[in-house]
Amino acid sequence: MVRPDFQTPPGTRDITEPDAGRVRRLVEVFADEAVTAGFGQIVTPMFEDVGVFVRLGEASDVVSKELYSFKDKGGREIALRPEFTASVCRAFAQHRPLTPWKTWYVGSGFRYDKPQKGRYRQFEQVGAEVVGSHDPDIDTELIALAWRFFRRIGLADFTLVVNSLGDAGDRPRYQAALTEYLEANRSRLSEQAQKTMVVNPLRVLDSKRAGDAAVAAEAPVMSDHLSPEATAAFDRVLAGLDTLGIDYRVEPRLVRGLDYYTRTTFEFVSHSLDAAQNALGGGGRYDGLVEALGGPPEPGVGFALGVDRTLLACDEEGVFTPADDTVAVWVVCTTDDLAGLEAVEELRSSGISAGRAYDGRSMKAQMKAANRSGAEIAVIIGSQEVEAGTVAVRTLRDGDRSGDQQQQVDRRDLVKKVRSLLP
Ligand code: AMP
């Protein structure tokens, strides 16, 4: 095949059927769970003032290296969103809705990352956020929402890991202890980690490099430096998860990719994906983010799940398989009047999916197309039928049901007859 002039840019894909249909159904399931839990949808712009994302913390790769930023024609510094939480907090600061504000979303995020399976430059997320309450039960309810969603699509081979990163006041104490430890082990750290450690030592714990991970495995843990309030909040979340029967593992070194998290953090880790891309999603509290974006000092908590990766995990587990999206009826029309067009429209208007062939194909070619389409029923219209005011109806897949007989039916009874033959 001749290579076309244009292809999708690196790290992007055309998502076609059956995956596109799976994405749609997955979003429907998520939306249903979110609405059931009292969340309203928000649709924010795909791009924002770059400052909205820079406030996420310049020590994170997402902001420092992976941001798609550019100057627009009006000279504004713009960035494509790398995630949704910052936009949700910006929206909260802008509109000041009543609290607690519970909102869910779906859409694409953009990160100039190294493309590989499960890591794309444009990816799809669904997520939910609650702004305006410190109540740790909300953290638990959010985790439960994600849990119900995963369970409903059939995923089972994953683990929920949780941690508390403490309050803003706990951080300096922990960071001091961590920095001291990292300094003592500097020679074992990668060059990148040695740099990161100066800007944000916590991020070193998130390094996937083998040498760094070995150092991280013995680093001091946040749980030894939590304030009594943060400890009580975390205990309440864990008690909530126990009450709801949600399995989890406390992972004292779990820090997430972005800098804004406080208190509860969590991640859903799939066991069926490669280690570098095994996070299906995650989230946590970000009690200072709304204020950092110029809003009131309202706390927030939320999570985002990666749709692409969730579907990869579904493939591995053999669940959430593509739905059968074939049409129910195939209209075969061999006359050159508008009878075929009219028949498909009538069927579709009655809620019956219908397809047909085009370009004046022969009867034989059209019957072949009908069989290939996977439709249950063929409706055949020739000049005889048009003259007699009838159509011929024939079952395609299951000959037994009607004895594979072609039946002549009054044209006016088309929909009624087709309905009676469909399962
Ligand atoms: P994060 O905000 O990085 O925690 O992202 C939440 C989830 O979104 C991750 O766990 C992934 O499932 C998904 N995700 C993030 N970045 C990418 C990417 N570059 N490609 C595909 N999925 C991604």
Side-chain angles (χ1 to χ4, degrees):
M1 203 173 80
V2 184
R3 198 181 144 91
D5 289 348
F6 300 108
Q7 309 235 339
T8 48
T12 67
R13 301 160 301 151
D14 295 316
I15 303 173
T16 52
E17 294 292 354
D19 271 340
R22 288 172 93 200
V23 169
R24 191 180 64 242
R25 284 195 298 133
L26 191 136
V27 171
E28 278 165 12
V29 172
F30 186 82
D32 187 53
E33 290 297 345
V35 169
T36 303
F39 286 72
Q41 188 174 2
I42 184 167
V43 180
T44 63
M46 262 186 217
F47 54 87
E48 302 258 6
D49 186 310
V50 73
V52 171
F53 304 118
V54 170
R55 302 280 162 89
L56 293 172
E58 288 178 80
S60 60
D61 285 356
V62 167
V63 176
S64 64
K65 294 193 204 141
E66 299 167 7
L67 212 53
Y68 272 91
S69 51
F70 56 95
K71 215 182 255 244
D72 76 3
K73 292 186 201 302
R76 297 171 199 88
E77 293 288 348
I78 297 290
L80 300 184
R81 63 181 173 215
E83 54 107 67
F84 287 73
T85 306
S87 296
V88 168
C89 291
R90 192 268 310 135
F92 181 86
Q94 185 173 341
H95 308 295
R96 302 289 179 94
L98 287 177
T99 57
W101 187 48
K102 297 168 67 177
T103 191
W104 76 272
Y105 54 77
V106 53
S108 297
F110 306 86
R111 295 181 191 177
Y112 196 82
D113 208 343
K114 197 167 157 229
Q116 50 199 296
K117 191 175 178 195
R119 193 174 294 276
Y120 310 106
R121 290 185 176 167
Q122 175 173 350
F123 52 93
E124 204 72 2
Q125 286 187 335
V126 290
E129 315 278 341
V130 181
V131 180
S133 169
H134 288 284
D135 195 329
D137 282 1
I138 293 180
D139 309 17
T140 315
E141 282 192 32
L142 280 162
I143 292 173
L145 166 58
W147 187 266
R148 279 198 307 279
F149 164 72
F150 284 134
R151 279 293 146 94
R152 208 170 124 187
I153 61 173
L155 279 184
D157 195 18
F158 66 89
T159 299
L160 164 66
V161 289
V162 291
N163 188 24
S164 174
L165 293 179
D167 291 318
D170 305 338
R171 277 291 175 88
R173 279 201 308 276
Y174 176 56
Q175 284 194 353
L178 184 59
T179 304
E180 194 181 320
Y181 168 83
L182 294 175
E183 285 288 2
N185 290 277
R186 181 184 273 273
S187 60
R188 294 165 60 203
L189 290 173
S190 68
E191 209 172 301
Q192 178 61 44
Q194 292 185 26
K195 278 191 203 140
T196 310
M197 161 185 145
V198 181
V199 198
N200 184 349
L202 260 76
R203 303 266 329 115
V204 176
L205 301 180
D206 201 28
S207 170
K208 298 271 192 265
R209 293 180 189 87
D212 298 342
V215 175
E218 284 152 30
V221 289
M222 186 74 216
S223 48
D224 292 336
H225 297 83
L226 293 185
S227 65
E229 296 78 19
T231 304
F234 193 44
D235 287 347
R236 173 81 185 186
V237 173
L238 300 185
L241 295 174
D242 289 335
T243 301
L244 301 183
I246 295 176
D247 302 327
Y248 59 86
R249 195 183 78 227
V250 175
E251 173 53 71
R253 289 178 188 84
L254 173 71
V255 292
R256 306 229 333 113
L258 298 164
D259 288 345
Y260 52 69
Y261 287 107
T262 56
R263 294 202 173 185
T264 319
T265 48
F266 53 92
E267 211 159 77
F268 294 92
V269 181
S270 166
H271 303 297
S272 48
L273 297 180
D274 291 346
Q277 287 85 236
N278 63 358
L280 298 173
R285 281 211 160 256
Y286 42 86
D287 289 349
L289 187 59
V290 178
E291 199 174 8
L293 285 163
E298 292 285 5
V301 54
F303 67 81
L305 310 178
V307 171
D308 314 83
R309 250 179 239 182
T310 300
L311 284 176
L312 286 174
C314 287
D315 289 341
E316 293 299 324
E317 292 194 36
V319 298
F320 205 65
T321 46
D324 181 4
D325 283 334
T326 50
V327 290
V329 181
W330 197 263
V331 174
V332 171
C333 183
T334 54
T335 70
D336 62 1
D337 60 20
L338 295 165
L341 179 75
E342 234 185 331
V344 283
E345 183 59 21
E346 190 178 328
L347 290 161
R348 291 169 185 167
S349 302
S350 310
I352 298 167
S353 56
R356 60 180 278 237
Y358 303 100
D359 302 311
R361 295 284 166 86
S362 68
M363 170 75 173
K364 200 171 149 207
Q366 290 196 47
M367 279 314 294
K368 218 165 146 186
N371 281 310
R372 218 179 21 231
S373 76
E376 299 272 340
I377 294 167
V379 170
I380 301 155
I381 309 170
S383 47
Q384 267 179 330
E385 279 79 13
V386 171
E387 221 163 89
T390 61
V391 291
V393 176
R394 179 196 290 190
T395 54
L396 290 172
R397 286 206 272 191
D398 179 3
D400 290 337
R401 236 191 346 253
S402 67
D404 205 15
Q405 293 292 322
Q406 190 160 305
Q407 306 173 49
Q408 292 294 133
V409 181
D410 192 310
R411 171 67 185 79
R412 288 164 299 188
D413 294 334
L414 171 65
V415 168
K416 206 165 75 187
K417 182 67 190 171
V418 163
R419 273 223 177 91
S420 76
L421 289 173
L422 286 175

